[in-house]
């Protein structure tokens, strides 16, 4: 009947919505759908350098800056504390 079809479709819709929410919950990692933070940081560095806002630093100093902004480890720790395994 129509009622069972609507019930089935709405239930499947909620399962699909939950799957999308789980995928978007922790976007910082190494999965294909995660944000490419390393590429963003390299792009930021090059843009700042081209505008003259970043003087040439040694690679060691840039890695120190990159480590301070390493959001992935913060969210991984938060996920681990929330009961997740910390890996995506």
């Amino acid at each position: 009947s129509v009622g069972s079809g609507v019930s089935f479709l709405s239930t499947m819709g909620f399962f699909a919505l939950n799957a999308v929410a789980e995928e978007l919950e922790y976007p910082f990692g190494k999965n294909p759908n995660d944000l490419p933070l390393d590429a963003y940081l390299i792009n930021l560095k090059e843009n700042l350098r081209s505008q003259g806002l970043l003087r040439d630093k040694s690679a060691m100093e840039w890695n120190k800056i990159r480590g301070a902004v390493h959001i992935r480890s913060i969210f991984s720790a938060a996920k681990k504390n929330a009961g997740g395994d910390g890996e995506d």
Side-chain angles (χ1 to χ4, degrees), residues 36-56:
L37 293 181
D38 292 335
Y40 289 164
L41 288 172
I42 291 169
N43 189 21
L44 174 65
K45 177 185 170 185
E46 294 303 319
N47 286 336
L48 290 174
R49 181 174 287 142
S50 70
Q51 295 175 12
L53 300 173
L54 180 69
R55 296 186 187 129
D56 285 329

Side-chain angles (χ1 to χ4, degrees), residues 19-70:
V20 169
E22 285 179 3
E23 186 65 35
L24 295 175
E25 188 173 9
Y26 293 103
F28 308 108
K30 293 291 185 184
N31 290 334
N33 290 335
D34 292 336
L35 296 173
L37 293 181
D38 292 335
Y40 289 164
L41 288 172
I42 291 169
N43 189 21
L44 174 65
K45 177 185 170 185
E46 294 303 319
N47 286 336
L48 290 174
R49 181 174 287 142
S50 70
Q51 295 175 12
L53 300 173
L54 180 69
R55 296 186 187 129
D56 285 329
K57 302 273 184 184
S58 69
M60 196 163 118
E61 283 188 40
W62 177 249
N63 285 333
K64 186 174 20 172
I65 292 169
R66 199 172 142 227
V69 187
H70 208 236

Side-chain angles (χ1 to χ4, degrees), residues 1-8:
S1 75
V2 176
S4 61
V6 169
S7 177
F8 175 76

Side-chain angles (χ1 to χ4, degrees), residues 6-20:
V6 169
S7 177
F8 175 76
L9 288 177
S10 64
T11 302
M12 289 291 103
F14 280 116
F15 278 118
L17 184 63
N18 186 44
V20 169

